[in-house]
Amino acid sequence: HIAFVKDGYSTCIFPEGQISQDGTVGEVKGGVMYLSQETNAPIVPVAINDALHLNFSDFIRRKRNIRVTICKPIMASDFLSIYEPKNTPYYTERAQIVVQSIQKYLLRV
């Protein structure tokens, strides 16, 4: 992923490491913060509402609407310290910032 982003491409990362199957936020991983720090690329949090169990047929026939909210970009360098040890718990703790910025825009079911 690092080479991909450094070459100017964008990538989509779920902070939990996978798509939610039931709409709840799972255990957050630190990869998003690590990738941002290593590439100096901004993290653009995106909240997606009403997409749970959306199937292709409903999408094509426009039977459902989803709402996508693009949140304020986050720079990992604003939340990571050069003095802290760079380990998994450190990045995981800081990745909570990304999830918190998304959660404000998620509709409560």
Side-chain angles (χ1 to χ4, degrees):
H1 289 97
I2 292 172
F4 190 72
V5 173
K6 283 185 175 181
D7 283 344
Y9 295 98
S10 297
T11 187
C12 175
I13 297 176
F14 293 85
E16 308 101 296
Q18 62 186 2
I19 296 173
S20 173
Q21 299 301 313
D22 62 4
T24 60
V25 176
E27 180 185 347
V28 177
K29 312 283 192 238
V32 66
M33 278 294 182
Y34 176 79
L35 181 62
S36 178
Q37 182 186 41
E38 289 297 309
T39 62
N40 201 34
I43 299 166
V44 181
V46 176
I48 303 171
N49 283 290
D50 301 322
L52 190 63
H53 305 299
L54 177 68
N55 62 45
F56 186 70
S57 174
D58 287 347
F59 175 76
I60 292 297
R61 293 186 288 150
R62 297 182 182 189
K63 289 202 170 227
R64 295 205 19 217
N65 294 316
I66 63 170
R67 185 177 79 186
V68 177
T69 304
I70 300 172
C71 308
K72 180 180 175 185
I74 296 170
M75 291 301 294
S77 58
D78 293 341
F79 300 98
L80 300 175
S81 168
I82 59 171
Y83 304 107
E84 293 289 329
K86 306 303 185 258
N87 55 37
T88 302
Y90 176 76
Y91 288 113
T92 300
E93 177 184 301
R94 297 309 189 278
Q96 291 289 343
I97 296 163
V98 177
V99 174
Q100 290 167 359
S101 69
I102 294 169
Q103 283 181 317
K104 330 185 242 199
Y105 296 99
L106 292 176
L107 296 176
R108 303 294 176 231
V109 183

